[in-house]
Amino acid sequence: MIFIGFGFLMTFIKTMSWTALSYNWIISIWALQWGIIFNDFWHQVIGGKDLVKVDVTLQTLIIGDFGAGAAMITFGVLLGKANLQQLLFLIFWQMLWWGLNLAIGEMAIKGMDTGGSIFVHSFGAYFGLAASFFFQPDRARVSNNLKDSYQSNTVAMIGSIFLWIYWPSFNSALTTGNT
């Protein structure tokens, strides 16, 4: 989902197509790691537990993948506006706040967000929207580099189809059979 679906989806700008794919992979790996660390950290802090090492399990990897999903939504907002170093810096801070948001939502508010519409999609979209204010806000109006092409749209369609097919399994990865 993250590496193929979002990766190919982000190739829709012709001047950023393959660069966006490589940025996607680098940023997703970065976000996945920091998402796991910050999510576990904030759950320990808010849960009143002693700080212990992070156990890497299938569940923590999936949660890190959800953090990378929020980062990819933010990346889609900033595509063509920020360079790799700026994105890595931004995503580090995004994962810190995403982990806090997730811990508060799950532990303090007891919110259930099976599909990730609040903790993944909304957080990523609003974080990206806020960050876009600081990354060359007038560039989209004056730049010819933010246009698409037939090839970039075709490759982006592959990512869209991949996301559409595998979205249910991504959203329900942490659900249980209990009703």
Side-chain angles (χ1 to χ4, degrees):
M1 286 292 297
I2 299 300
F3 297 105
I4 296 173
F6 277 114
F8 285 104
L9 177 64
M10 297 301 171
T11 62
F12 61 89
I13 298 176
K14 69 178 176 182
T15 57
M16 289 288 297
S17 61
W18 300 116
T19 304
L21 182 62
S22 62
Y23 278 17
N24 169 273
W25 292 344
I26 294 167
I27 294 166
S28 295
I29 292 166
W30 181 257
L32 197 140
Q33 294 174 35
W34 284 113
I36 291 170
I37 291 169
F38 285 132
N39 175 61
D40 203 54
F41 171 76
W42 288 117
H43 273 78
Q44 290 176 23
V45 168
I46 291 177
K49 302 175 187 171
D50 293 331
L51 296 178
V52 296
K53 68 178 184 164
V54 176
D55 290 327
V56 179
T57 63
L58 183 60
Q59 182 174 355
T60 58
L61 288 172
I62 292 170
I63 290 170
D65 213 23
F66 289 164
M72 286 303 97
I73 293 167
T74 298
F75 175 54
V77 174
L78 297 174
L79 186 60
K81 293 184 176 188
N83 64 32
L84 183 60
Q85 292 79 14
Q86 292 169 327
L87 290 167
L88 290 172
F89 180 79
L90 178 75
I91 297 303
F92 170 83
W93 290 105
Q94 180 182 8
M95 290 300 99
L96 181 125
W97 296 113
W98 173 79
L100 177 62
N101 182 53
L102 186 62
I104 290 171
E106 289 179 349
M107 299 183 80
I109 300 174
K110 306 282 188 218
M112 296 295 294
D113 188 23
T114 302
S117 60
I118 300 168
F119 301 134
V120 177
H121 301 94
S122 294
F123 185 82
Y126 286 120
F127 195 90
L129 185 63
S132 71
F133 178 75
F134 297 100
F135 287 101
Q136 307 165 350
D138 294 330
R139 183 174 178 183
R141 275 185 261 146
V142 296
S143 177
N144 288 328
N145 293 334
L146 300 179
K147 297 192 187 243
D148 61 348
S149 70
Y150 179 78
Q151 179 188 2
S152 65
N153 284 338
T154 303
V155 175
M157 183 188 65
I158 294 169
S160 297
I161 291 170
F162 193 88
L163 286 171
W164 184 75
I165 291 171
Y166 290 104
W167 202 259
S169 61
F170 182 77
N171 282 344
S172 63
L174 295 178
T175 58
T176 60
N178 301 338
T179 55

